[in-house]
């Protein structure tokens, strides 16, 4: 984000950014990894660049090749919309490769289960000690996304970590829960569906 270019990028970062661009295109721009610039301006995180803005054309503002990754001057990226799902997917694959086929991985509410079935309680987004439902996971994944959990106040206004690229306020839905074979898909689309 700072230098706007990364020479000789790792192959995994290239794959992550290609996934993000494919998802950006598939969701008509709803899933947009340049949203971090808006989040920083409203007080999320420690870094900030007052000149950055949410990209209206991520395919032009993020150029990926085997030799380099380049961002336009006004673009910053944030992999938070799918990073946990990506990591959990990698960890699950690694465990299975090592011959471990019975496990539960939980990355802050993004959960994948292999082998023995597990009952997972779905927390009430407004009351931590209550649950609103439960689901049985076995060889599949659950991701939850909420605009209540990571919220803060700045300049007398309440903000949350999930922001629509257009800037419109999210209203009405407190949380979204997606059940899918892939924890990466569940993580990504819990955010997309919350936004839509």
């Amino acid at each position: 984000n700072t230098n706007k270019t990364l020479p000789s990028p790792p192959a995994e970062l290239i794959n992550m950014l290609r996934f993000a661009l494919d998802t950006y295109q598939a969701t008509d721009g709803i899933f947009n990894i340049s949203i971090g610039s808006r989040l920083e301006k409203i007080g999320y995180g420690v870094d900030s660049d007052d000149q950055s803005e949410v990209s209206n054309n991520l395919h032009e503002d993020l150029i990926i090749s085997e030799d380099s990754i380049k961002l336009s001057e006004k673009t910053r990226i944030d992999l938070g919309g799918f990073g946990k799902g990506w990591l959990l997917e990698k960890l699950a694959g690694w465990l299975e490769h090592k011959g471990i086929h019975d496990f539960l991985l939980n990355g802050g509410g993004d959960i994948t289960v292999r082998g023995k079935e597990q009952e997972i309680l779905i927390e009430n987004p407004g009351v931590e000690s209550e649950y609103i439902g439960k689901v049985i996971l076995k060889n599949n994944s659950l991701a939850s996304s909420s605009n209540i959990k990571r919220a803060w106040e700045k300049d007398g206004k309440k903000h949350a970590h999930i922001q629509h690229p257009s800037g419109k306020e999210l209203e009405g839905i407190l949380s979204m829960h997606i059940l899918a074979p892939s924890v990466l898909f569940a993580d990504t689309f819990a955010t997309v569906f919350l936004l839509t």
Side-chain angles (χ1 to χ4, degrees):
N1 282 327
T2 302
N3 296 329
K4 304 299 181 191
T5 186
L6 177 64
S8 303
E12 185 159 16
L13 181 58
I14 291 172
N15 291 337
M16 291 178 80
L17 294 176
R18 286 183 175 151
F19 171 82
L21 283 175
D22 289 347
T23 307
Y24 171 82
Q25 184 170 335
T27 62
D28 292 327
I30 297 295
F31 186 83
N32 188 332
I33 62 172
S34 73
I35 197 71
S37 62
R38 178 174 299 129
L39 290 170
E40 291 169 359
K41 287 178 185 174
I42 59 174
Y44 190 71
V46 293
D47 291 337
S48 186
D49 176 357
D50 291 338
Q51 304 304 312
S52 67
E53 56 191 40
V54 176
S55 173
N56 290 322
N57 189 338
L58 201 53
H59 288 283
E60 287 182 4
D61 292 327
L62 171 60
I63 306 300
I64 306 165
S65 74
E66 303 301 319
D67 299 323
S68 69
I69 297 169
K70 295 180 182 178
L71 296 174
S72 70
E73 281 304 311
K74 293 196 175 220
T75 304
R76 293 173 64 83
I77 58 172
D78 177 347
L79 305 181
F82 70 100
K84 284 190 299 182
W86 187 279
L87 177 61
L88 290 171
E89 199 79 26
K90 296 285 286 189
L91 287 172
W94 181 81
L95 288 170
E96 290 176 329
H97 177 74
K98 293 291 186 181
I100 302 168
H101 301 287
D102 188 11
F103 58 84
L104 179 149
L105 297 173
N106 182 349
D110 297 341
I111 301 168
T112 191
V113 172
R114 300 291 188 275
K116 186 175 73 174
E117 70 180 35
Q118 300 282 332
E119 180 180 79
I120 307 297
L121 301 178
I122 299 175
E123 183 181 71
N124 180 337
V127 183
E128 286 187 32
S129 60
E130 293 181 8
Y131 70 94
I132 58 172
K134 53 186 159 183
V135 65
I136 302 297
L137 294 184
K138 181 178 180 178
N139 299 322
N140 59 358
S141 304
L142 173 73
S144 299
S145 189
S146 173
N147 227 20
I148 295 176
K149 288 294 184 182
R150 282 186 266 168
W152 65 96
E153 281 195 35
K154 181 179 179 185
D155 301 328
K157 187 173 180 190
K158 190 171 182 177
H159 301 283
H161 77 290
I162 297 176
Q163 296 280 315
H164 196 283
S166 71
K168 79 176 184 178
E169 293 291 323
L170 301 181
E171 297 176 359
I173 297 178
L174 300 180
S175 62
M176 181 64 62
H177 312 278
I178 302 294
L179 184 65
S182 158
V183 68
L184 173 59
F185 180 92
D187 181 24
T188 304
F189 283 89
T191 300
V192 170
F193 292 158
L194 186 66
L195 289 168
T196 57

